Amino acid sequence: MNIKRRQLLLGVASGLAGAALPLGSALAQSDYPNRPITFLCPWPAGGTADVTMRALAKVLSDHLGQPVVFENRAGASGMIGARALAVAKPDGYTIGQIPISVTRFAQLGTVTFDPLKDFTYLARASGQTFGIVVRADSPYKTLADLVAAAKANPGKLTFASAGVAGATHVGMEEFLLAAGAKMNHIPYKGGAPALTDLMGGQVDALADSSSWAPYVEQGKLRLLATWGEQRPPRFAKAPTLKEAGYNLVVDAPNGIGAPAGLEPQVAEKLRVALKKAILSPEFKQACDRIDAPVMYQDADDYRKYVLSQYVHEKRLIEKLNLKEQIKNG
């Protein structure tokens, strides 16, 4: 056999071998998805994030052509569901909502996964409307009233949140630090029991997402301030923290991701479908019902956002001495 022919045959064989190795994977990717996809929600059924994520999963199913099965994995301020997603098989058949607080809890040492290494970030979806509320019969008519009382009685007034080091607890502590006031934090295992105790008069104030909305509309609670960049249309009478004189914006956008190691072609199909679903009228309607702004970011920008939050949380943990608060319960 002459040298040229031998080189040609070797080249063809090499090319076939190279093509054969990823063939099964390539076929799987082109066929994806060919069965139902599980969507993990790290929050209890009926909450604000649950409502919007269920709506998103429904629209996403239409764009992917397969059922998207919704599954609640609640607990530990969203970290149980986040861990379940991090350790799932990276085949595109398990996706879910990733709380941005993973960037905080990872640095507090309360979770065993790494938010910078263990997820494939696909899209940022929507935010939440956080606010400070008191009972309608509370003596605190305005945010200024609450701050004045807290300053006059350091550590005596109480505020409830959905748990230690969660978004609402940290946001409230940031606000109090900016205000130069001190209140006693009462952590709960979720927003619902915290709201119940506020209604019952066991605490003076509640820092939470818009679980309080219907009670404010019914006149049972008073909204002192919201924490976003702008006033939500439904509660336009209440000032933002910035309008009240505090240079502070607090939000906790809901992002969608998958386990690390997802095949690029599968990730791309999910990215495209998620963009369509998040920007759909159906998803916006679901968000509008609970005053949750659509805050879409594509995969690359979302990854950059997560990294920036990781850096921000590192500073915040030190400033608020959160590790000590975790230690003390």
Side-chain angles (χ1 to χ4, degrees), residues 239-276:
T240 65
L241 290 178
K242 288 183 76 172
E243 289 173 331
Y246 305 98
N247 188 26
L248 185 63
V249 173
V250 180
D251 53 29
N254 300 318
I256 313 300
L262 197 63
E263 291 284 353
Q265 293 89 338
V266 173
E268 178 62 11
K269 287 186 178 182
L270 285 167
R271 184 196 69 79
V272 171
L274 279 164
K275 181 176 182 179
K276 292 176 181 177

Side-chain angles (χ1 to χ4, degrees), residues 24-37:
S25 176
L27 287 174
Q29 291 161 12
S30 64
D31 195 32
Y32 174 85
N34 57 22
R35 56 187 170 88
I37 295 165

Side-chain angles (χ1 to χ4, degrees), residues 176-196:
L176 290 171
L177 189 65
K182 185 176 181 181
M183 293 179 68
N184 185 22
H185 176 224
I186 310 296
Y188 287 80
K189 293 181 179 180
L195 178 64
T196 298

Side-chain angles (χ1 to χ4, degrees), residues 143 223-227 231 235-244:
L143 188 64
L223 177 60
L224 300 183
T226 53
W227 300 359
R231 300 186 187 196
F235 301 103
K237 292 183 179 179
T240 65
L241 290 178
K242 288 183 76 172
E243 289 173 331

Side-chain angles (χ1 to χ4, degrees), residues 117-136:
K117 296 179 180 179
D118 294 337
F119 296 109
T120 299
Y121 293 96
L122 299 168
R124 193 175 76 173
S126 59
Q128 300 182 58
T129 293
F130 292 125
I132 303 169
V133 291
V134 295
R135 282 168 45 119

